[in-house]
Amino acid sequence: MTRPDLMALAEAERTDLLIFLQTLTNTQWTAQSLCSQWTVRDVALHLVSYEELSKPVLVGVFVRGGLRVSRVNDVALRRYQELDSDGILELLSRNLRPAGLTSGFRGGIALTDGTIHHQDIRRALGLPRTIPPGRLVPVLNFAAGAPTLPAKKNVKGLTLTATDVDWSRGAGPEVKGPGEALLMAVSGRPTALDELHGPGLETLQGRVG
């Protein structure tokens, strides 16, 4: 089986996000996202806040953040705190192809982070979309074991089965539902739990909710 081109998929995801962000109003840019500490603006900026950092600057960002992911992300965001929405769109438009830190795992980091955070924005604004199956399945595969996500811990001892794409993973009591809802739930978004069902759901709810 041919391995998916994760870099190309990540670029496609960022392109879709850019097109979507260009439609938002000022009120929507400042709205709360599903990420409790971040607005829509913050999430959009986070996705490319590492792209143009040199290696020495990147090391400095990690040091100032105490090597803790949430704090490091905030330090990276503060570098661009003066950017308005047009500036963020410009930054994203010139970084559609992942580079540097986000290009890790053949683009898997950028693809997965981009897809989840795209949904963090859309779900919060009540503007859903259908993720292309050819993009969603690789994201589900990567997210289930990604070192930067809580999914590996959340799905331990459970079987996840998507009802809208050909994807299943794990062993144990089953949790079923749309692939996007599975992705968001196992990544720590309780709002997606209501869209799932199965004998393993209570266990997943206890871990995520």
Side-chain angles (χ1 to χ4, degrees):
M1 180 180 295
T2 303
R3 291 197 305 178
D5 185 342
L6 301 184
M7 286 289 285
L9 294 177
E11 185 173 0
E13 181 64 21
R14 286 186 176 183
T15 300
D16 285 352
L17 176 60
L18 175 62
I19 293 170
F20 171 64
L21 292 175
Q22 289 169 335
T23 70
L24 299 186
T25 65
N26 290 335
T27 299
Q28 289 171 321
W29 273 98
T30 58
Q32 178 66 48
S33 74
L34 289 192
C35 300
S36 60
Q37 303 300 316
W38 287 350
T39 64
V40 168
R41 174 197 178 278
D42 295 331
V43 173
L45 180 55
H46 161 71
L47 290 173
V48 286
S49 61
Y50 292 96
E51 296 300 292
E52 299 183 356
L53 305 185
S54 66
K55 288 185 178 179
V57 173
L58 182 62
V59 170
V61 168
F62 272 80
V63 170
R64 287 195 296 277
L67 303 181
R68 294 176 58 185
V69 174
S70 61
R71 291 176 59 188
V72 170
N73 285 337
D74 288 338
V75 171
L77 283 178
R78 285 200 296 272
R79 291 181 55 84
Y80 298 98
Q81 61 183 348
E82 301 301 323
L83 285 185
D84 59 12
S85 58
D86 288 338
I88 296 172
L89 291 173
E90 182 181 354
L91 179 63
L92 178 56
S93 67
R94 66 175 184 259
N95 289 287
L96 294 177
R97 185 78 173 181
L101 187 65
T102 64
S103 66
F105 295 91
R106 300 184 299 113
I109 291 177
L111 173 61
T112 304
D113 203 38
T115 303
I116 292 171
H117 284 316
H118 191 162
Q119 297 309 112
D120 283 332
I121 294 172
R122 282 185 170 273
R123 278 177 168 265
L125 295 178
L127 297 171
R129 66 159 176 163
T130 298
I131 302 173
R135 207 178 299 165
L136 178 58
V137 170
V139 172
L140 285 166
N141 285 330
F142 188 86
T148 56
L149 292 174
K152 187 174 182 179
K153 177 185 67 175
N154 287 337
V155 305
K156 185 177 181 180
L158 297 174
T159 297
L160 305 181
T161 301
T163 55
D164 56 346
V165 292
D166 184 15
W167 185 84
S168 184
R169 180 163 178 157
E174 189 174 45
V175 181
K176 301 178 68 174
E180 185 268 351
L182 287 171
L183 172 68
M184 298 302 286
V186 302
S187 299
R189 278 65 173 177
T191 185
L193 290 167
D194 289 345
E195 299 170 43
L196 307 177
H197 62 278
L201 179 57
E202 185 175 355
T203 297
L204 183 61
Q205 288 171 327
R207 295 171 180 173
V208 177

